[in-house]
Amino acid sequence: MIKTLFTKEFLDSIRDKRSIFAALLGAFLPPIFFAAIMTFTLEESTSVDELYISIENQQQAPHIVALLEQSKILQANMPETGKTFELDGESLEHSKITLTFADDFAQKMEQGQKATITLLADYSKKGSREEISRIKRVVNRYQSQLVTMKLTARGISPSILSPIHIEENDTSSPSSKSALILGMLGVMILVAAFVSSTNVAIDCSAGERERNSLELLIMQPVSTLQVVIAKTMNTAFFGAVGATLSIILTALVIPFIPLHKAGMAFNFDLQLGLTIWLLLLPLALFAAAFQLAVAFHAKSFKEAQSYIQYTIMVPVFLPMVLEIMNYKNAALSYIPIFAQQQAISQLIRGDLESYLPFVGGSIITIIVSFAIIKFTANSLKSEKVVLGL
Amino acid sequence: MLQVNNLVKHFGDIKALDDLSFLAENGQITGILGPNGAGKTTALRVLYGLLEAEEGTGLINGVDSQVSPQLARKEIGIFPDKFGLYERLTAREQISYFAGLHGLKGKEKEQALDDVIEKLDIADIADRRCEGFSQGQRMKVIIAQALVHQPQNLILDEPTRGLDVMSTRILREILLELKQQGKCILFSSHVMQEVAALCDKVIVVANGKVAAVGTPQELCERTGKTEFEDAFVALIGSDEGIAA
């Protein structure tokens, strides 16, 4: 009986262009949206901009000036007023830093004496420390190269200058900003499970009633439970397909996100994808049961759409808030939606400790879904819901 | 055989059914005639077990549809008050779906489908999607899906609404043929000529009560009118909501 019901529901939905389109949109939009934000944020946080400084007595050290230029530290005359100056018609910001080579700089260098560079800057200015150390790094690099060459020329190993080798190993987890965005990835996939099935859910409940075929269906020798189970299976199928596509697309776009710029290596491998997929199957069932319950209680297709718009905020925004707060609580692993959010978030960040809470969470999600299905089936026995009174 | 006994049903303060009872027997076409809002559709919905009556019972072949609706519904084919086809399914898929809901499977189902499609002469539209069907075509598909499992009872709620003369005639022929086969046909209408022409027994309903029962002939005689329409008006005491 359920097979008959399901076959018809599936045929009806798969031929509905609007449902298919909505499901695809739900699947494709979140990962693309995510990739765009992530790329933008990373480019923003890690790209090196040109730094304009005033350099006095350039002719004293053309090598250093050239090296500075390679590092995008460029000479520009100090603007007379304000911070900006014009270059090729563009208005650019001057760092207000002045680098002065002493008048006898070249001469002293040649004689192997200490030569002086004066760095004039407002150290209290926001970001100036970073700018100053950029300049210093270039000068120091030049200096150490020079020393190495001089020592080598005198037959001395340059390693005498640095007897200790510091090996740096970064054990910190990715910076909080990037981790947050990665966490958002999990939320996006969660959203796909909901959004992909919304239109199907409304179409086969409020929509079917609006087209006057629900009443006739209920009048057939089938139980309302069978009807709701078939409709939930069909709706969940679309949610699951949406989530699957979303995961695949995420795996495809991640290599294009410049994660390395933030010093992050994130490997979205098959195992991670499959684990997330398994976590999402119960969620797709829950999303279907939940949305059908809402849509059946609406009077019309339109009303169902606006109800779902509001109720979908719960699964979309609450996990997002938790994600931003990076809130973790063992109890959350046993609540539908949050269980999946917590699990995916921890999987992606690579700090999942135990699968046990999530197995429990998945089982609870399935149980809650069946409770909702039962509730909807019972309410279909009421004339109010069937006739949309 | 279809029977309702002493139905009472309120919608809010409005009394929709007021101790309504009637009987539709096998081998007969029974008409429920009443003005709009008389309680015809409500009574039928109670009979299907879709609505719950506050008092009274609805029996389908002796099975109480309020107690075991699924068992009772196996014995009826329904042509509902409002019908919507699944626009994205073909006529055959639509009929096949309802055959499946009534437990038909495999070869038996295919045979039933072929039979009913042939009987209603809809082979030409059987594999077309229902969107774009005319009213007459829709009516035929609905009749086909109501008959595909060969129920003993057929209930039609205002079946001739919006049908042209040709479709109405086809429907009439189908009903007469089913009557010959000994089926029980119950059909509600507010169109008198149709009821007068077709029915063996007429139940006149007004204000949720049975106003009179009898053959069209008997009703005319009882009220001393020569025209059925006049008899009807005399029976319900008003000519509100009736179509001639």
Side-chain angles (χ1 to χ4, degrees):
Chain A
M1 185 60 71
I2 289 195
K3 191 183 150 211
T4 306
L5 285 160
F6 175 76
T7 312
K8 176 254 144 194
E9 294 296 342
F10 182 70
L11 214 56
D12 204 8
S13 304
I14 203 88
R15 288 183 186 167
D16 180 13
K17 289 198 190 83
R18 193 161 47 171
S19 286
I20 298 294
F21 185 67
L24 288 180
L25 210 63
F28 286 129
L29 229 43
I32 291 174
F33 186 56
F34 160 76
I37 295 185
M38 185 118 185
T39 308
F40 178 74
T41 316
L42 287 175
E43 292 287 356
E44 184 81 336
S45 66
T46 56
S47 71
V48 184
D49 293 327
E50 278 89 3
L51 178 64
Y52 292 99
I53 59 169
S54 303
I55 305 175
E56 309 282 340
N57 278 343
Q58 284 193 48
Q59 72 284 359
Q60 293 286 340
H63 298 303
I64 299 180
V65 174
L67 273 177
L68 285 170
E69 272 173 15
Q70 278 175 23
S71 304
K72 290 189 181 173
I73 301 170
L74 305 170
Q75 143 69 18
N77 291 329
M78 184 81 76
E80 280 165 18
T81 54
K83 284 199 239 170
T84 55
F85 64 97
E86 295 277 321
L87 185 79
D88 298 337
E90 249 185 295
S91 178
L92 297 165
E93 194 175 326
H94 197 282
S95 64
K96 295 261 181 184
I97 296 172
T98 310
L99 185 81
T100 312
F101 295 105
D103 291 336
D104 55 356
F105 187 89
Q107 190 194 343
K108 287 217 165 161
M109 286 293 277
E110 215 164 292
Q111 293 166 2
Q113 293 177 358
K114 240 185 185 19
T116 307
I117 297 175
T118 312
L119 204 55
L120 192 72
D122 176 1
Y123 277 59
S124 68
K125 203 188 90 186
K126 186 173 165 263
S128 69
R129 256 166 218 293
E130 176 63 28
E131 291 166 356
I132 289 161
S133 61
R134 255 177 84 182
I135 298 167
K136 277 180 163 175
R137 269 202 302 275
V138 175
V139 175
N140 283 334
R141 204 161 66 225
Y142 176 72
Q143 179 162 259
S144 68
Q145 277 171 9
L146 201 66
V147 169
T148 307
M149 279 194 282
K150 282 184 174 173
L151 288 176
T152 314
R154 285 166 174 77
I156 302 169
S157 163
S159 65
I160 203 146
L161 268 185
S162 50
I164 296 173
H165 169 63
I166 303 174
E167 193 174 290
E168 290 178 86
N169 281 326
D170 188 357
T171 58
S172 73
S173 41
S175 68
S176 63
K177 199 175 184 184
S178 309
L180 173 69
I181 304 169
L182 270 189
M184 282 296 163
L185 162 67
V187 177
M188 295 287 174
I189 298 176
L190 285 189
V191 172
F194 273 83
V195 178
S196 303
S197 58
T198 299
N199 205 63
V200 178
I202 300 178
D203 190 74
C204 74
S205 52
E208 182 154 346
R209 184 173 52 216
E210 216 162 83
R211 294 190 295 268
N212 292 319
S213 42
L214 181 67
E215 189 186 330
L216 184 56
L217 172 59
I218 300 294
M219 286 190 266
Q220 303 307 313
V222 286
S223 73
T224 54
L225 187 62
Q226 288 169 324
V227 170
V228 178
I229 287 177
K231 285 183 187 292
T232 310
M233 276 165 59
N234 181 45
T235 310
F237 175 78
F238 276 82
V241 168
T244 310
L245 285 175
S246 182
I247 294 171
I248 294 173
L249 197 67
T250 304
L252 289 178
V253 297
I254 280 202
F256 295 100
I257 301 172
L259 285 164
H260 55 275
K261 284 199 176 176
M264 290 166 61
F266 179 62
N267 193 10
F268 198 100
D269 58 10
L270 191 64
Q271 195 198 345
L272 178 63
L274 279 177
T275 316
I276 294 181
W277 186 70
L278 280 179
L279 279 165
L280 280 180
L281 290 185
L283 188 72
L285 179 70
F286 175 81
F290 173 77
Q291 295 184 96
L292 275 174
V294 173
F296 264 125
H297 285 85
K299 280 185 186 138
S300 64
F301 197 99
K302 277 225 155 120
E303 199 179 293
Q305 272 180 324
S306 36
Y307 280 169
I308 287 194
Q309 252 165 34
Y310 290 120
T311 47
I312 214 165
M313 300 222 176
V314 179
V316 173
F317 286 105
L318 281 183
M320 223 180 252
V321 170
L322 287 185
E323 191 60 59
I324 290 168
M325 291 164 61
N326 196 8
Y327 180 77
K328 287 196 183 87
N329 188 322
L332 283 178
S333 307
Y334 297 99
I335 305 173
I337 303 172
F338 298 106
Q340 285 77 19
Q341 179 263 335
Q342 294 278 309
I344 294 175
S345 166
Q346 292 178 27
L347 270 172
I348 289 175
R349 288 165 198 240
D351 53 5
L352 183 71
E353 280 149 20
S354 159
Y355 280 101
L356 202 63
F358 304 114
V359 174
S362 296
I363 293 170
I364 289 175
T365 304
I366 294 171
I367 293 172
V368 171
S369 306
F370 274 105
I372 298 176
I373 290 173
K374 190 86 182 91
F375 163 76
T376 311
N378 276 340
S379 56
L380 273 188
K381 287 180 186 147
S382 116
E383 46 203 71
K384 259 193 172 154
V385 172
V386 177
L387 302 178
L389 298 173
Chain B
M1 196 181 70
L2 301 165
Q3 190 176 5
V4 300
N5 301 315
N6 311 97
L7 294 184
V8 177
K9 169 92 188 158
H10 287 83
F11 288 117
D13 291 336
I14 301 158
K15 200 165 202 177
L17 300 178
D18 184 5
D19 200 23
L20 183 80
S21 305
F22 63 76
L23 175 70
E25 281 165 281
N26 290 344
Q28 279 194 351
I29 300 179
T30 308
I32 305 181
L33 184 63
N36 292 326
K40 303 186 294 285
T41 299
T42 306
L44 294 182
R45 279 178 174 159
V46 171
L47 185 57
Y48 312 142
L50 185 70
L51 295 187
E52 220 168 292
E54 287 138 37
E55 283 172 43
T57 49
L59 303 176
I60 297 170
N61 284 3
V63 180
D64 191 334
S65 60
Q66 302 274 312
V67 179
S68 36
Q70 290 197 48
L71 193 64
R73 286 175 196 156
K74 278 192 191 296
E75 297 297 330
I76 47 171
I78 300 171
F79 186 107
D81 167 39
K82 285 186 259 175
F83 60 84
L85 298 175
Y86 296 104
E87 307 283 317
R88 297 184 285 261
L89 299 190
T90 67
R92 178 180 273 273
E93 283 164 351
Q94 165 106 11
I95 301 164
S96 163
Y97 176 46
F98 281 83
L101 293 180
H102 278 277
L104 294 180
K105 274 183 218 136
K107 268 195 183 149
E108 192 193 1
K109 182 165 92 174
E110 292 309 313
Q111 188 58 47
L113 279 176
D114 290 340
D115 289 350
V116 82
I117 286 171
E118 193 198 319
K119 189 166 173 184
L120 285 157
D121 193 22
I122 48 173
D124 54 333
I125 55 165
D127 294 309
R128 257 174 56 193
R129 290 200 191 171
C130 295
E131 53 194 356
F133 277 15
S134 70
Q135 275 296 328
Q137 287 167 329
R138 282 166 190 271
M139 180 273 289
K140 284 185 185 171
V141 175
I142 292 281
I143 296 270
Q145 81 184 20
L147 294 178
V148 68
H149 58 289
Q150 301 188 328
Q152 175 58 32
N153 308 286
L154 181 65
I155 303 176
L156 306 99
D157 198 352
E158 308 228 357
T160 53
R161 252 168 322 142
L163 292 187
D164 57 21
V165 179
M166 276 313 294
S167 306
T168 311
R169 287 182 107 175
I170 295 167
L171 179 64
R172 219 175 278 164
E173 279 161 25
I174 295 167
L175 295 186
L176 288 173
E177 194 193 321
L178 288 170
K179 175 186 156 184
Q180 292 300 317
Q181 292 168 8
K183 308 271 169 146
C184 168
I185 297 153
L186 178 65
F187 111 77
S188 88
S189 179
H190 64 283
V191 183
M192 266 167 303
Q193 287 182 339
E194 192 176 281
V195 173
L198 210 54
C199 297
D200 302 298
K201 183 164 99 179
V202 180
I203 300 156
V204 181
V205 178
N207 302 321
K209 280 187 249 188
V210 175
V213 182
T215 62
Q217 196 65 38
E218 280 169 5
L219 294 181
C220 289
E221 282 164 14
R222 200 178 310 165
T223 51
K225 307 282 181 183
T226 48
E227 291 296 320
F228 185 56
E229 183 180 334
D230 296 333
F232 182 71
V233 173
L235 284 168
I236 66 165
S238 135
D239 57 359
E240 210 180 314
I242 311 156

